[in-house]
Every structure is written in structure tokens, then in C-alpha cells.
């Protein structure tokens, strides 16, 4: 393991930059949380009155975009609203 010595002033500058970076990231995360709601598979199936298999087909054929964290899929509420409005306008 290497030991690197730096001046106290340099260390403080690095620390301040890191704190500023952390604040920016937190701000971005809070903005996105306030603007968009994410829904899980069960909620989307209930809203659209579809089966989990139909939802899988929507993902597979690109009808509905999603994000995946681990093995769970999440959908933007705005995308669900768009899908509903498109299906109503086709009728």
C-alpha cells in the first residue's frame, strides 16, 4: 500500500470539491424524484387491467419502456399515461 502525503490546504480543497459534488448529485436526485413517479409490475398490471405476461410482451416488443434494477422492472407513470391515451384514441 502506498502512502501519499499532501498539504493540508490541498486536502481541504479536495474535501470542499467533493462536498460540492455530493450536493449537486443530491440535488439532481431530488429533482428527478419529485418530477417522475416510478411504478412496479404489479401496479402497472392493475392500472392497465392486463396480465403479467401481457406486460412482458409490451416490454419485449417496445410498446412500453422500462428500467430494470436487479430483477425488478419499473415504469414511468408518464409512459403509462401515454400508453393509456394512445389506446383510447385508437378506439
Amino acid at each position: 500500500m502506498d502512502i501519499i502525503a499532501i498539504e493540508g490546504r490541498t486536502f481541504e480543497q479536495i474535501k470542499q470539491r467533493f462536498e460540492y459534488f455530493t450536493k449537486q448529485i443530491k440535488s439532481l436526485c431530488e429533482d428527478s424524484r419529485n418530477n417522475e413517479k416510478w411504478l412496479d409490475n404489479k401496479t402497472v398490471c392493475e392500472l392497465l387491467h392486463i396480465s403479467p405476461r401481457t406486460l412482458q410482451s409490451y416490454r419485449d416488443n417496445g410498446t412500453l419502456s422500462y428500467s430494470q434494477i436487479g430483477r425488478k422492472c419499473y415504469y414511468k407513470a408518464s409512459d403509462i399515461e401515454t400508453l393509456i391515451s394512445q389506446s383510447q384514441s385508437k378506439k
Side-chain angles (χ1 to χ4, degrees):
M1 173 163 57
D2 294 333
I3 297 175
I4 300 172
I6 59 173
E7 294 179 8
R9 191 176 100 196
T10 304
F11 177 73
E12 288 301 319
Q13 288 175 341
I14 292 171
K15 196 168 93 172
Q16 287 175 351
R17 287 182 182 172
F18 185 74
E19 288 171 357
Y20 176 72
F21 175 75
T22 304
K23 287 178 185 176
Q24 285 181 314
I25 295 298
K26 284 182 181 178
S27 174
L28 288 172
C29 289
E30 288 173 0
D31 288 347
S32 66
R33 266 190 271 150
N34 292 335
N35 292 338
E36 189 66 58
K37 184 174 181 180
W38 291 82
L39 308 171
D40 63 2
N41 286 334
K42 183 180 178 187
T43 306
V44 172
C45 286
E46 290 171 358
L47 285 171
L48 298 177
H49 304 290
I50 59 174
S51 69
R53 181 63 189 112
T54 302
L55 183 57
Q56 174 69 47
S57 295
Y58 287 178
R59 286 193 306 266
D60 291 345
N61 65 24
T63 301
L64 188 57
S65 62
Y66 66 98
S67 292
Q68 189 169 352
I69 300 175
R71 304 190 97 206
K72 285 196 77 163
C73 294
Y74 296 93
Y75 311 85
K76 288 183 181 180
S78 59
D79 290 342
I80 304 301
E81 291 171 4
T82 302
L83 184 66
I84 291 170
S85 65
Q86 286 175 349
S87 68
Q88 288 176 347
S89 65
K90 289 180 182 178
K91 291 180 180 181

